[in-house]
Amino acid sequence: MADATRARRAAWPFLLVGGAWFAVMAGSNLATPLYAVYERRFGFSSAVLTVVFATYALVLAPSLLVFGQLSDRLGRRRVISTGLVTAAAGLGLFALASGLAWLFAARAVQGLAVGMISGAASAALVELDPVPTEHRAALFAALAQAGGSAAGPFLAGMLVEWAPAPRVLSYALLLVVTAGSAAAVLRIPEPRPGGAAGAWRMQRPSVPPPIRRLFVRVSVTGAVAWAVMALFLSVVPSYAARLLDTSNLALLGAISGLPLAVSCVAQLASPARSQAAGLCLLAAGLAALAAAFPLHSLPVLLAAAVLAGAGHGIAFLGAQGRLNGAAPPERRGEVNAAFYTCIYLGVAFCVIGTGLLTLRTSLSTAVTVFAAFAGAVALAAAAAHLAVRA
């Protein structure tokens, strides 16, 4: 009995950090099925929508570099808790939104919040793991991101379609959960009690030389995997609405969340953790996505979501696990922050690029161009991983 009690006490901080990160990622993707509503209500185009979506990544990337280093210096707990409070503020802005400027502000605050949390939380999971293994912390980090990002569109789609106060209720619910998580995180033991004291100053971000080649490979994997998921969370709802001729937001939210839900299943079920295999599946999903519109086929669209989701889960989990194992403990927060910075810069580039293409061509053509580009990057990265193993 005493051993079981000690095991629970050792596990709860680890689970709490993972759960809090899950809640933040769910909150940051609640707006996915609502973007079509905002487009009609506030009168903006699909290209503007992609800039709204990408504002999150553009704010997130520099904040990661600051707060990843800050968590190495001052400890994980305070940085994570502050990020949760900031995430709650972003949800409040969405709930109050009455125009396009509110959406930009909400996405910017959410980007700041995820930037605070991502590097610190991924490092904290490694340090709080009660039974450390090579992939356990990476699995929880990947599940927090993918699972939360999937849960947001599912939850919001159902509430918007069938519950009262459609543009307020989902944000209010997640705001309460996020604020409660901020208070709970302050009660956990500090994962990094040996952090340096004294004045902190910003240093030029860097990755230790021995792991730089590895860092480049895993960062390309992470960037292309999450760029594809960002497409499903931003542009694909409009793509699916035109393909299926529907305005059912529960259905569109489910389609957006499906690849990330499949990603979670793949992470739990796949023992291989092969970045190359995951990237090949991702490329196959992109090919199916490009084919879905000319074929006017819901089954092909669903196949694209399943293939892309499985590829994302396997590839990203493999990348995160390799990086966690290679990063020096004293710089783990900084290295993880640099990793996520590369990911979100790639996301911003791809999403904004796709949005700009919609100004010159149709949405289906823009998605096809994105699929060709991202698929080529995925296959090239897979070849690089196989060359290292050979």
Side-chain angles (χ1 to χ4, degrees):
M1 181 67 72
D3 289 342
T5 301
R6 281 195 296 271
R8 285 194 297 271
R9 287 176 178 172
W12 81 266
F14 179 82
L15 296 173
L16 176 59
V17 169
W21 197 0
F22 179 99
V24 168
M25 296 308 299
S28 68
N29 289 285
L30 279 175
T32 295
L34 278 162
Y35 284 135
V37 176
Y38 292 136
E39 276 188 83
R40 293 192 300 270
R41 188 175 183 86
F42 301 147
F44 56 85
S45 67
S46 295
V48 173
L49 168 61
T50 60
V51 178
V52 171
F53 188 89
T55 298
Y56 166 85
L58 292 173
V59 173
L60 194 159
S63 67
L64 270 166
L65 297 176
V66 173
F67 290 101
Q69 292 185 39
L70 193 63
S71 78
D72 283 336
R73 182 79 177 181
L74 301 180
R76 318 295 186 203
R77 184 176 60 184
R78 283 180 285 180
V79 173
I80 294 171
S81 185
T82 303
L84 288 163
V85 172
T86 306
L91 291 167
L93 288 171
F94 262 122
L96 296 171
S98 58
L100 181 60
W102 287 82
L103 303 185
F104 276 110
R107 288 300 282 170
V109 172
Q110 287 185 327
L112 179 62
V114 176
M116 291 180 179
I117 290 168
S118 295
S122 58
L125 287 173
V126 176
E127 294 154 359
L128 290 168
D129 191 348
V131 187
T133 63
E134 182 180 359
H135 287 288
R136 180 183 169 98
L139 175 62
F140 270 73
L143 289 175
Q145 292 179 89
S149 297
F154 277 115
L155 174 64
M158 290 187 292
L159 291 177
V160 169
E161 190 67 30
W162 296 309
R167 290 182 292 111
V168 175
L169 182 59
S170 59
Y171 299 120
L173 290 175
L174 260 293
L175 192 156
V176 171
V177 172
T178 305
S181 298
V185 165
L186 287 175
R187 297 173 59 87
I188 69 172
E190 173 53 53
R192 184 167 167 72
W200 174 81
R201 64 183 179 87
M202 181 67 181
Q203 296 177 332
R204 182 176 61 86
S206 64
V207 175
I211 66 168
R212 284 180 184 170
R213 290 179 181 272
L214 168 67
F215 180 86
V216 170
R217 292 197 307 274
V218 300
S219 294
V220 172
T221 296
V224 70
W226 275 104
V228 174
M229 294 302 101
L231 186 78
F232 273 91
L233 292 168
S234 60
V235 174
V236 166
S238 297
Y239 182 77
R242 298 177 192 182
L243 171 66
L244 304 175
D245 191 23
T246 182
S247 60
N248 186 306
L249 297 182
L251 174 61
L252 297 178
I255 290 172
S256 295
L258 177 60
L260 286 158
V262 173
S263 173
C264 293
V265 174
Q267 290 165 33
L268 290 168
S270 171
R273 325 290 196 213
S274 169
Q275 294 177 73
L279 288 163
C280 289
L281 284 171
L282 196 72
L286 287 165
L289 180 64
F293 204 91
L295 293 174
H296 296 282
S297 173
L298 176 60
V300 174
L301 179 61
L302 295 178
V306 170
L307 287 167
H312 172 274
I314 296 169
F316 183 69
L317 180 58
Q320 181 75 75
R322 290 283 289 127
L323 188 65
N324 282 350
E330 70 278 5
R331 298 182 64 183
R332 190 173 283 130
E334 178 187 0
V335 170
N336 272 288
F339 174 58
Y340 287 110
T341 299
C342 293
I343 288 173
Y344 286 110
L345 286 175
V347 166
F349 171 79
C350 290
V351 170
I352 292 175
T354 304
L356 292 175
L357 280 173
T358 64
L359 297 174
R360 296 276 185 171
T361 186
S362 67
L363 180 61
S364 61
T365 301
V367 169
T368 300
V369 171
F370 170 89
F373 172 76
V377 173
L379 292 175
H385 289 303
L386 293 173
V388 170
R389 291 173 54 189

